[in-house]
Amino acid sequence: LGYGVSQTPDLQHPYLSLKLTGSTCADMISASDSYVALKGIGLKAEKLDLVGYSQGGAATVSTLVELEKRDFDDGRINEVWAGAGPYDILGFFNAFKNVERYDRTGFIPFAIRGICYSENLSIPYPKLYNAELMARVDLESLFSTKQLDDWHSVLGKSIRDILNPCFYEDNFGGDADLLKLRAAMERNSVTSCPAPANIAKVKLYHSETDDTVPYACSESLAAKWGVTEITKLKKQNDHMSAGIEFMLRYCGFDFMVDYI
């Protein structure tokens, strides 16, 4: 939903929704357990690794939080590998809204729409987006019919040119709707959750110069949850290459990192 495939404006992917992401992934684990039992499939091991990068990094720790709420047997969880996730949504938003150039500007409205969708917030476009942008681009058509990758080029490289100027005022200009959005961002951040009991199994990975998700997001989660170390990925200024490095490391192919 919401990736330009459904072609309808009322179906939006609940991007970064803490509850919907965690519950969906936990449901899939439960369904898999039921299916394996139903089919009598013999597993080599009962242990699970939770692994994800970027949006998947946030989904990984959201799933861990949800599983703990369900009294899931945490002895089954072997390791939790979370890479470069936007764990602190408001921090992610504030860190990048002032940068002069951001190549993936579509993620800004994508995050806003996902949070509004999951929280049932109805905020008029003129309160969210720059008037000049709205005069230039049919946003509803863009959001409901185009793939996310297409949003970046249409919206341009400046976040400031996308957002309503109120986002740059103290306290969001005191606008009631924008303050509701800010509160929703904070509620849906993994950093709003208490540390899980099996925190020792959580491993965070992030490049210090990530050009898409700020390293500060991992720092915020580490500080909140008491994670003592963030493994710094070598790939600089390239979120996607760092993601490949992350997966190579998880698979035990560290020796291949220098070949990316």
Side-chain angles (χ1 to χ4, degrees), residues 24-164:
T24 298
C25 294
D27 286 348
M28 285 193 288
I29 292 173
S30 178
S32 298
D33 284 344
S34 297
Y35 180 80
V36 166
L38 178 67
K39 294 296 184 179
I41 298 173
L43 299 178
K44 292 182 179 180
E46 293 289 334
K47 294 284 188 178
L48 294 174
D49 284 354
L50 303 180
V51 185
Y53 184 82
S54 194
Q55 180 185 0
T60 294
V61 287
S62 298
T63 302
L64 180 63
V65 168
E66 178 65 22
L67 290 174
E68 186 162 278
K69 290 179 181 178
R70 299 185 183 192
D71 294 324
F72 184 81
D73 177 12
D74 66 0
R76 285 187 61 194
I77 297 176
N78 181 45
E79 289 184 330
V80 180
W81 283 52
Y87 317 113
D88 178 1
I89 301 173
L90 187 61
F92 158 77
F93 186 78
N94 287 333
F96 275 120
K97 72 179 184 181
N98 287 311
V99 298
E100 291 186 7
R101 177 187 174 95
Y102 187 63
D103 290 337
R104 297 181 177 90
T105 47
F107 281 117
I108 302 303
F110 201 61
I112 291 173
R113 286 169 61 81
I115 295 298
C116 286
Y117 179 81
S118 65
E119 294 279 326
N120 294 312
L121 297 179
S122 297
I123 304 178
Y125 278 10
K127 285 196 172 187
L128 295 170
Y129 304 112
N130 189 294
E132 292 184 6
L133 172 69
M134 294 183 62
R136 178 175 64 85
V137 179
D138 181 349
L139 293 179
E140 191 55 56
S141 176
L142 174 68
F143 295 153
S144 61
T145 65
K146 301 296 184 183
Q147 295 281 334
L148 177 59
D149 283 347
D150 294 331
W151 297 15
H152 308 320
S153 57
V154 173
L155 293 173
K157 305 297 184 182
S158 170
I159 296 176
R160 186 177 287 272
D161 290 343
I162 294 174
L163 295 174
N164 185 305

Side-chain angles (χ1 to χ4, degrees), residues 179-240:
L179 291 176
K180 289 179 182 178
L181 174 61
R182 185 176 71 178
M185 288 179 176
E186 292 173 335
R187 283 195 303 274
N188 283 275
S189 295
V190 184
T191 49
S192 70
C193 302
N198 49 12
I199 188 63
K201 299 179 181 180
V202 176
K203 299 180 178 180
L204 299 180
Y205 293 78
H206 211 140
S207 168
E208 288 186 287
T209 59
D210 195 307
D211 59 349
T212 300
V213 179
Y215 182 77
C217 282
S218 288
E219 289 183 310
S220 294
L221 185 61
K224 179 64 185 293
W225 280 9
V227 177
T228 57
E229 181 182 6
I230 303 170
T231 299
K232 296 177 176 62
L233 298 172
K234 292 182 178 180
K235 293 301 171 183
Q236 304 294 303
N237 305 310
D238 189 336
H239 185 70
M240 298 305 293

